[in-house]
Amino acid sequence: SFPMGSERWDPICEKGLIKVPSYIFSCMSSSWLPVAALPAGRLNHCLAASADALFAVGGYTFPPPDYEASTLRYDPSANLWSYLAPMSTNRDSFGCGIVGDSLIAVGGESGNYPFTLSAVERLNISTNGSAWEAVANMYEARQGHSVAVVCARRIRTTVGLD
């Protein structure tokens, strides 16, 4: 990585390498297909898929680091991203998954102290979610961890950083 302001850093951002197009892998053609790009480039966000949509949550835009709380829903039939309610907490380096009708965001890092989060929140995606709601926090704050949905009913997470 290059420090901000260095000769190597600024051209990377100016060339738009952070704002890359979006692609979806097609199992039928075994190839990557271009789809509508996210409205704004972001890093360290989380993706989760339901039966009929893809969700891009949080992350940050660069430079400078601007932590995101936004939630975007991709509709493959319309090839369109739309905004849903933002999370209550800006976060990156977090896990997310879909359990039932809930998109769940787990832990992560915030731009505000305390930086590492134990907070967990969910959004009802069956109603296109009007607001995220807090659910039980993790026992310890974590960032950079992985999350998996098990049997469509439970979220499991790895250790990550505290």
Side-chain angles (χ1 to χ4, degrees):
S1 69
F2 303 105
M4 288 191 309
S6 75
E7 290 181 334
R8 296 286 313 259
W9 180 262
D10 292 336
I12 290 172
C13 295
E14 289 173 5
K15 289 180 183 175
L17 296 179
I18 290 175
K19 293 184 179 182
V20 296
S22 298
Y23 296 90
I24 289 181
F25 185 77
S26 167
C27 295
M28 295 176 68
S29 66
S30 292
S31 61
W32 289 94
L33 305 174
V35 296
L38 283 166
R42 61 185 63 209
L43 300 167
N44 292 344
H45 57 289
C46 193
L47 293 176
S50 69
D52 61 353
L54 181 67
F55 299 87
V57 188
Y60 64 89
T61 55
F62 217 76
D66 186 13
Y67 291 85
E68 287 282 332
S70 62
T71 304
L72 290 152
R73 179 185 185 275
Y74 175 72
D75 177 352
S77 63
N79 191 30
L80 181 69
W81 289 96
S82 57
Y83 283 93
L84 300 180
M87 293 181 291
S88 64
T89 305
N90 295 345
R91 61 178 85 207
D92 80 331
S93 301
F94 65 104
C96 68
I98 294 176
V99 176
D101 289 336
S102 295
L103 172 58
I104 301 174
V106 181
E109 178 184 23
S110 169
N112 304 314
Y113 183 83
F115 299 109
T116 303
L117 304 169
S118 63
V120 180
E121 53 188 313
R122 71 177 166 202
L123 179 71
N124 184 329
I125 58 172
S126 67
T127 60
N128 277 335
S130 60
W132 286 80
E133 64 177 336
V135 295
N137 286 352
M138 293 186 293
Y139 292 117
E140 296 180 22
R142 294 283 177 237
Q143 64 169 301
H145 55 288
S146 295
V147 163
V149 176
V150 180
C151 299
R153 299 179 309 152
R154 295 183 180 171
I155 293 263
R156 301 283 186 195
T157 184
T158 58
V159 176
L161 302 172
D162 58 8

